[in-house]
């Protein structure tokens, strides 16, 4: 019901080692780029307590007006939260 929504406009993942159920998988998340109306997240997936990622990927959200689907600035509370994840 929010006026501003995030749309995924890009995503990708590269696997460099196997991951399989019921293995414990730990995910790390960071904000790699914080723009005016967009954010690029990067994700690392680790097998248990492994030091190297078994997979890594990214996705980009563009925040838009729900009705017009035109880009809008990130809402201030969201921007403040995302700034804590910048690495």
């Amino acid at each position: 019901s929010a006026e501003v929504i995030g749309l995924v406009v890009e995503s990708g993942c590269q696997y460099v080692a196997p991951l399989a159920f019921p293995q414990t998988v730990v995910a790390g998340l960071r904000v790699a780029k914080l723009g005016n109306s967009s954010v690029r997240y990067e994700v690392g997936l680790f097998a248990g307590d492994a030091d190297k990622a078994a997979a890594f990927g990214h996705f980009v959200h563009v925040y838009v007006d729900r009705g017009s689907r035109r880009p809008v600035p990130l809402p201030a509370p969201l921007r403040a939260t995302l700034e804590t994840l910048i690495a």
Side-chain angles (χ1 to χ4, degrees):
S1 64
E3 291 182 25
V4 175
I5 59 173
L7 301 179
V8 176
V9 298
E10 180 181 329
S11 66
C13 186
Q14 185 173 26
Y15 297 89
V16 294
L19 294 170
F21 181 81
Q23 183 176 28
T24 299
V25 177
V26 175
L29 174 72
R30 71 178 180 178
V31 169
K33 182 177 179 188
L34 188 57
N36 184 48
S37 62
S38 66
V39 58
R40 178 185 169 100
Y41 301 94
E42 293 182 344
V43 180
L45 300 178
F46 299 82
D49 60 356
D51 290 336
K52 293 188 178 184
F56 52 92
H58 72 278
F59 58 100
V60 177
H61 274 161
V62 172
Y63 286 84
V64 300
D65 175 84
R66 178 182 290 278
S68 70
R69 293 298 204 257
R70 301 294 305 157
V72 296
L74 292 164
L78 175 59
R79 176 175 286 284
T81 299
L82 293 174
E83 286 173 345
T84 68
L85 298 173
I86 294 175

